Amino acid sequence: MNKAVGIIPARWNSTRFPGKPLHLVAGKPLLRRVLERCRRAKNLDSLIIATDDMRIARVAFDWGAEVSLTSARHRSGTDRVAEVARKAKDFAHVINIQGDEPLVDPRLIDKLVERLRSNRKIEMVTAAHPFENSAAASSPHQVKVAVDLSGRALYFSRAAIPFPRNLSGIKYLRHQGIYGFRRDTLLQFVKWKTTPLERSESLEQLRALENGVSVHVLVIAKGSPGVDTPEDANALEQKIARVKRRALP
């Protein structure tokens, strides 16, 4: 069994942006943009939207998507994904794809699956890329990751890591919140209690490191921005408009 399923968690009651999955960006719901990008991935054997809201479920059905209704009590998207994965016993690998990253690269999804399939020692894999603007690394809203020489995550932080004491020109890596799990690892992950570093940084991926999970990091050239607020959605709409204008003859 070497099949991979992509699961997109989507909830309505975002604190900063209620109704975000169905917010129109350049005339198309945000979640549908994510779905269409994911459908271009070649290594996924199935693709599922996981939601607790019938408003999202109804429109996703209209798009021809497979939908799994989940509990409304989940604290995180990972918990929601795990509920679906628990029933998806035919899949060895689970890709947790953020429902608010409408420019996610299908090739990155394929690379995550390939990495899990090619190395059985990798329990969990994610992605990172250099900051285009190093000053952005100081923002606590941008998560950074430090990796070892073999590409494993050493630490994730909201602080700028590593500290450049000798001004060696090291590049800060921005963590992109997409994850590939071995199914058994994911189901174990959500059983663990929150850990001290996880609570300190408010970063659930630290729970994996604190429990000894090997997290591999694919370092890519560029990442895709997430949409956390209405302002982010407006900025994305402007970016799409610029791309369309450049494409005109």
Side-chain angles (χ1 to χ4, degrees):
M1 183 179 69
N2 214 16
K3 290 184 177 180
V5 57
I7 303 177
I8 308 170
R11 68 188 182 106
W12 185 273
N13 293 319
S14 167
T15 304
R16 289 186 289 176
F17 197 168
K20 178 170 61 172
L22 301 187
H23 180 82
L24 294 181
V25 176
K28 187 177 294 187
L30 182 67
L31 181 60
R32 184 165 188 174
R33 290 189 175 276
V34 177
L35 178 69
E36 290 177 353
R37 300 281 288 193
C38 294
R39 281 173 167 168
R40 291 160 55 184
K42 299 176 181 178
N43 287 341
L44 292 179
D45 298 286
S46 184
L47 184 61
I48 302 170
I49 291 176
T51 186
D52 62 348
D53 194 283
M54 282 304 300
R55 288 167 289 189
I56 295 173
R58 280 193 291 266
V59 294
F61 279 130
D62 289 342
W63 303 335
E66 183 176 352
V67 178
S68 180
L69 288 171
T70 59
S71 169
R73 297 190 300 270
H74 292 310
R75 294 180 300 171
S76 72
T78 306
D79 292 323
R80 196 174 307 283
V81 168
E83 180 183 338
V84 178
R86 194 171 292 113
K87 304 170 188 174
K89 297 179 180 180
D90 292 338
F91 299 95
H93 313 304
V94 180
I95 309 300
N96 179 353
I97 304 161
Q98 302 300 312
D100 57 6
E101 291 201 3
L103 300 181
V104 62
D105 190 344
R107 295 169 297 183
L108 174 58
I109 297 172
D110 286 337
K111 288 178 181 177
L112 295 175
V113 176
E114 288 168 4
R115 191 56 56 94
L116 288 168
R117 286 175 173 167
S118 65
N119 188 341
R120 297 183 63 84
K121 293 182 179 180
I122 294 176
E123 302 167 272
M124 181 174 168
V125 60
T126 187
H129 62 88
F131 279 91
E132 293 183 10
N133 177 5
S134 59
S138 62
S139 170
H141 302 297
Q142 300 288 342
V143 179
K144 279 68 68 175
V145 60
V147 300
D148 69 12
L149 296 178
S150 64
R152 291 175 301 183
L154 292 168
Y155 192 66
F156 296 89
S157 182
R158 296 184 182 278
I161 55 171
F163 179 77
R165 183 173 182 178
N166 61 2
L167 300 177
S168 60
I170 194 164
K171 291 183 178 179
Y172 294 109
L173 292 177
R174 174 185 174 269
H175 177 230
Q176 184 166 335
I178 185 171
Y179 298 95
F181 292 90
R182 296 198 180 279
R183 179 175 172 273
D184 291 345
T185 300
L186 172 60
L187 298 184
Q188 178 60 63
F189 176 88
V190 295
K191 291 179 182 178
W192 286 323
K193 295 180 180 179
T194 57
T195 49
L197 293 175
E198 176 188 3
R199 290 192 294 271
S200 176
E201 297 258 16
S202 190
L203 296 174
E204 68 174 358
Q205 58 269 46
L206 289 172
R207 191 189 319 167
L209 294 185
E210 289 182 85
N211 280 284
V213 174
S214 175
V215 181
H216 193 83
V217 181
L218 291 176
V219 179
I220 55 179
K222 290 185 178 181
S224 57
V227 175
D228 295 321
T229 64
E231 291 75 20
D232 291 339
N234 292 336
L236 174 63
E237 185 157 340
Q238 293 171 14
K239 181 175 182 178
I240 291 172
R242 289 194 299 270
V243 171
K244 286 182 176 179
R245 284 197 297 269
R246 286 199 296 267
L248 292 174

